[in-house]
Amino acid sequence: HRPTHGSVRVAGMEVSEKTIGRVRAEVGLVFQDPDDQLFSPTVWEDVAFGPIHMGLDAAAVHDRVEAALAAVGALELASRPPMRLSIGQRKRVALATVLSMEPSILVFDEPSAGLEPRGRRELIELLNTLSQTLIVSTHDLELARAAFSRSIVMGGGRIVADAPTGELLNDHALLLQHGLA
């Protein structure tokens, strides 16, 4: 349902009927399960899908796909079927599909879910290279500690703490109270 009061600003724009299209273009969502995001016969086609539907010409689509795949270290996967990749590779390709749209804000839902230790380390390294604003929903406290300088703890649909990540993660009473310890 729609809110009855207040306002929301995204990328400097107040969200309204007039701005919703521009707001959506600024925000890229990376799902927890990459299989919810990947559907094409090849990685290249998946990453090209968004730019093609933005109406970009073939050269611009090519440049965006190449840049997005390079950013996630997946250029060598371009011709492979996404469903034949490891979970870590599929997660990187799903991120590339979003990066190809050039959003200024990236939203991740539990990005480390299902990753083995090496994949988790690679994810942390990758997150640390991104220049976009990152909003990450996670219960992985070590990921938060390693990748984010600021964290927000939610409880009952409300912000209960907003502070430097290290400070929050050292507040054991807070973590326990909100099911994070």
Side-chain angles (χ1 to χ4, degrees):
H1 72 8
R2 292 181 184 263
T4 57
H5 62 281
S7 64
V8 174
R9 295 185 71 77
V10 174
M13 293 176 279
E14 187 164 331
V15 178
S16 69
E17 295 291 328
K18 285 183 175 181
T19 63
I20 194 68
R22 291 193 338 251
V23 168
R24 285 182 177 143
E26 291 296 324
V27 180
L29 176 61
V30 183
F31 299 126
Q32 177 177 342
D33 184 349
D35 296 338
D36 291 339
Q37 217 157 336
L38 304 174
F39 51 83
S40 298
T42 68
V43 164
W44 184 274
E45 290 168 280
D46 262 328
V47 179
F49 182 84
I52 288 169
H53 286 86
M54 289 173 65
L56 299 177
D57 65 39
V61 169
H62 181 274
D63 290 347
R64 284 195 183 204
V65 171
E66 202 164 80
L69 287 173
V72 300
L75 265 174
E76 75 283 357
L77 304 176
S79 64
R80 301 214 14 223
M83 298 312 155
R84 296 231 171 121
L85 303 176
S86 72
I87 183 72
Q89 290 171 322
R90 289 195 314 271
K91 283 183 178 265
R92 289 196 333 244
V93 170
L95 173 55
T97 68
V98 174
L99 291 176
S100 72
M101 302 292 290
E102 298 184 351
S104 63
I105 301 168
L106 295 172
V107 179
F108 292 85
D109 179 23
E110 296 290 352
S112 62
L115 292 178
E116 77 287 347
R118 179 195 298 167
R120 196 162 157 270
R121 279 191 310 276
E122 290 172 355
L123 170 68
I124 290 167
E125 290 170 11
L126 177 57
L127 291 175
N128 285 322
T129 69
L130 298 173
S131 61
Q132 292 86 352
T133 296
L134 305 180
I135 299 173
V136 180
S137 171
T138 187
H139 291 88
D140 183 343
L141 302 185
E142 291 312 309
L143 168 71
R145 185 183 305 276
F148 308 112
S149 60
R150 174 181 168 214
S151 292
I152 296 172
V153 176
M154 304 286 296
R158 298 195 180 280
I159 295 173
V160 297
D162 178 351
T165 301
E167 183 180 312
L168 289 179
L169 295 182
N170 288 328
D171 186 339
H172 299 290
L174 174 76
L175 297 178
L176 190 60
Q177 181 180 1
H178 296 284
L180 296 170

